[in-house]
Amino acid sequence: MRILPKLGLATAAMTVAALGATLPAEAITVSQVKAAQTRLNRLGCVSGPVDGKAGAMTQAATVRFQSANVLSQTGSLNSTTYARLMASTAKRCDVRPVPRRSGTGRRIVISQTQNWVWLIDARGTVVRQGGIIDNPAYLRAGTYTSGAKCGRPARVLRNTDGGRLYLNRFVRFAPCGIGFHQIPTYMSSGAQIHPDWLLGTNYRASHGCIRVSASMAVTIWNFAAGPTRVVVMR
């Protein structure tokens, strides 16, 4: 996250797409929504309870499915998405191939199109992958190296936004204040400013940083203990 003074909830958790919107006229039935939720959960898309309501969590899961299956990321269970979801060829949300042309060797790869990150070891094995929240308006595609930038430390266990948020396990990789960190937490309560199930969607935007889950932040912290190549792709 680009470190800005007094960054609060309104700016740190900027909404870029409405949640809870009504499904279009071609909306599927309650039974079909339940079937879709069941299928999304089985494919690792994290749809939440199977209740027949296409609410915010189901929409976020649908975006992750659409992203993994190269569909328009609308969050809507429209006829095209529903048919692809129910097909035997549907791709999982939580296991994705590393993007082509991301290079070789030990590296971290970010896809801004998919809202996804991969950690890859020297043998080319994916150590871990998962959803992110970022902001392409600040972070441009290119190759970076984690480490100190602009006289600022490479890693900060408990970074702050200069206001009321912690950016835990901050790993810097781009000038001057852009890095990986856990979804920001309130200093007062320790609660995250948004839930993990929004990761992997475009329903939030950071101020340039790559937000990840708490467990992924630990993995990246350990993986990038020294200078590590970070490849950012559109």
Side-chain angles (χ1 to χ4, degrees):
M1 178 178 288
R2 187 181 295 272
I3 309 304
L4 299 177
K6 304 299 181 184
L7 179 61
L9 176 62
T11 52
M14 179 180 65
T15 300
V16 296
L19 287 173
T22 303
L23 289 175
E26 62 174 328
I28 57 182
T29 67
V30 171
S31 294
Q32 287 175 315
V33 172
K34 288 182 177 180
Q37 290 171 325
T38 299
R39 181 73 166 150
L40 286 166
N41 284 331
R42 287 177 178 171
L43 292 173
C45 306
V46 191
S47 183
V50 179
D51 57 8
K53 299 176 182 178
M57 197 168 183
T58 297
Q59 290 179 48
T62 301
V63 167
R64 283 186 288 274
F65 175 79
Q66 290 168 332
S67 170
N69 287 267
V70 198
L71 298 169
S72 297
Q73 295 176 41
T74 63
S76 171
L77 284 168
N78 53 47
S79 57
T80 299
T81 298
Y82 187 81
R84 184 73 66 85
L85 177 62
M86 294 302 168
S88 60
T89 54
K91 296 178 181 177
R92 294 187 62 85
C93 296
D94 54 350
V95 180
R96 308 184 186 188
V98 179
R100 297 178 180 177
R101 300 185 297 278
S102 68
T104 59
R106 192 175 188 277
R107 65 200 187 279
I108 298 176
V109 177
I110 296 166
S111 170
Q112 294 178 318
T113 301
Q114 296 187 53
N115 301 302
W116 207 255
V117 63
W118 296 260
L119 280 61
I120 305 158
D121 67 18
R123 297 170 297 178
T125 301
V126 175
V127 174
R128 187 165 179 181
Q129 58 179 290
I132 64 171
I133 294 289
D134 75 330
N135 191 335
Y138 287 102
L139 179 59
R140 297 185 178 183
T143 300
Y144 304 85
T145 302
S146 66
K149 312 287 181 186
C150 310
R152 302 179 187 180
R155 305 194 306 165
V156 183
L157 188 61
R158 178 161 282 190
N159 203 3
T160 74
D161 69 332
R164 53 186 180 141
L165 298 175
Y166 285 126
L167 315 179
N168 295 317
R169 297 190 184 276
F170 181 90
V171 177
R172 197 181 314 274
F173 68 86
C176 284
I178 295 180
F180 298 97
H181 60 74
Q182 180 188 346
I183 296 168
T185 60
Y186 292 108
M187 294 179 182
S188 58
S189 65
Q192 294 184 166
I193 64 171
H194 63 72
D196 282 2
W197 53 260
L198 284 172
L199 295 169
T201 75
N202 57 359
Y203 286 139
R204 293 291 187 275
S206 72
H207 278 257
C209 277
I210 304 298
R211 297 179 190 171
V212 296
S213 68
S215 62
M216 177 65 88
V218 172
T219 303
I220 292 174
W221 177 270
N222 294 327
F223 188 85
T228 301
R229 185 158 47 102
V230 179
V231 181
V232 180
M233 308 180 72
R234 291 296 192 204

